[in-house]
Amino acid sequence: MFHIIVRENYDEVSSEAFRIMKDVLKLERPVLGLATGSSPVGLYKKMIADHNTNGTSYRKAITFNLDEYIGLPKEHEQSYWTFMHENLFDSIDIPEENIHIPVGDSEDEELECRNYESALEKYRIDLQILGIGTDGHIAFNEPGTPFDSVTHIMELTEQTRSDNARFFDDEIAQVPTHAITMGLASIMRAAKIVIIATGANKADAVYGMIKGEKSTDCPASILQDHPDVTVLLDQAAAARIL
Ligand code: F6R
């Protein structure tokens, strides 16, 4: 079930996401599913500000990130490991051993997928933060990914690589071709989901997720079957559903 909230701008959208996050952080041992990309950065800034101002602690929190590029070592400036440390983890008190991010440069990628999924199975994510791709992907589950997928290797679409080239000096050739990603079934196990989308380039994907036919052509449409999804949008991203 979708609970749709439309706000004036990105800051207000991020505040709504933070309000939901703050509630989950009251749990004894919150398990958080986290995303990279532009969409959650405002939320992470608010989490850091709250940690600094109010002392909200992440010592007992456990986190699982959605995905990682294959071929990038942790230390690479565009790895999702680096992104998460720069945008959140280095500025809060979460113990490093509580952080889970798929390893992008493991020797055996299939084994890494299985290990990641088994780590995930030991927990239930209390709150999963998502962004949405312009092609309707969630995590890196591109169109065509089966709804029953668990952590797997995904070849990224041209669309996704071109969208993400902005992080790689605008050079699509530098964007990795594959990623390890939680599957759609892995994501659906979360108790609560918040999906953040802002900007006109997300309007079609948002329409497909909420009003489109439930189909693997739009991976995010699987969320139509989840009992607790809050969709946080600005006016531009909401243009086709209002
Ligand atoms: C990131 C992820 C992706 C992004 C999506 C939107 O970990 O899994 O699904 O959420 O590509 O990216 P942005 O927010 O940069 O538009």
Side-chain angles (χ1 to χ4, degrees):
M1 225 197 36
F2 292 119
H3 176 217
I4 301 168
I5 301 178
V6 183
R7 289 287 177 261
E8 278 310 308
N9 54 47
Y10 180 62
D11 188 56
E12 288 180 23
V13 165
S14 303
S15 294
E16 288 295 337
F18 177 66
R19 188 179 51 75
I20 298 168
M21 173 64 74
K22 188 81 191 181
D23 231 34
V24 171
L25 292 174
K26 290 181 189 144
L27 295 172
E28 169 71 22
R29 192 189 60 168
V31 183
L32 308 176
L34 300 177
T36 58
S38 307
S39 303
V41 170
L43 163 65
Y44 297 159
K45 287 202 169 100
K46 288 179 195 293
M47 289 163 73
I48 293 168
D50 168 67
H51 168 72
N52 290 335
T53 312
N54 304 317
T56 303
S57 176
Y58 293 79
R59 271 193 296 272
K60 294 198 172 152
I62 309 277
T63 65
F64 283 90
N65 262 81
L66 289 169
D67 38 25
E68 178 61 283
Y69 287 120
I70 287 185
L72 301 192
K74 285 202 297 203
E75 311 74 37
H76 191 283
E77 58 175 353
Q78 290 310 334
S79 76
Y80 284 167
W81 191 95
T82 299
F83 179 97
M84 287 309 300
H85 284 75
E86 285 179 350
N87 286 283
L88 183 64
F89 296 146
D90 286 349
S91 305
I92 57 175
D93 60 347
I94 186 163
E96 191 64 34
E97 62 269 24
N98 292 10
I99 296 170
H100 302 80
I101 303 178
V103 175
D105 65 344
S106 67
E107 285 189 357
D108 185 340
E109 289 140 7
E110 294 289 352
L111 179 64
E112 174 61 18
C113 291
R114 287 198 297 278
N115 288 343
Y116 201 71
E117 190 65 27
S118 339
L120 200 52
E121 274 168 7
K122 297 198 180 87
Y123 298 92
R124 175 151 195 228
I125 289 181
D126 296 303
L127 174 60
Q128 175 67 59
I129 303 295
L130 295 177
I132 185 168
T134 56
D135 63 1
H137 71 223
I138 48 174
F140 272 139
N141 294 289
E142 298 283 26
T145 305
F147 281 173
D148 62 359
S149 51
V150 294
T151 304
H152 63 111
I153 296 169
M154 187 81 233
E155 180 171 6
L156 304 179
T157 60
E158 279 300 298
Q159 175 72 56
T160 295
R161 293 182 64 233
S162 117
D163 286 346
N164 288 0
R166 68 191 193 281
F167 297 112
F168 291 84
D169 301 326
D170 278 330
E171 281 196 43
I172 190 167
Q174 287 188 37
V175 184
T177 55
H178 292 74
I180 294 187
T181 180
M182 270 190 209
L184 293 168
S186 334
I187 292 170
M188 288 292 277
R189 285 201 302 267
K192 187 185 265 301
I193 295 178
V194 163
I195 182 157
I196 302 170
T198 56
N201 63 333
K202 298 290 174 73
D204 287 343
V206 167
Y207 177 88
M209 164 173 72
I210 294 171
K211 302 250 164 131
E213 185 198 340
K214 197 177 52 171
S215 142
T216 57
D217 292 347
C218 177
S221 66
I222 193 177
L223 299 177
Q224 292 173 13
D225 281 346
H226 192 281
D228 187 354
V229 183
T230 303
V231 186
L232 300 178
L233 306 171
D234 67 358
Q235 301 279 349
R240 287 198 60 199
I241 57 155
L242 294 179

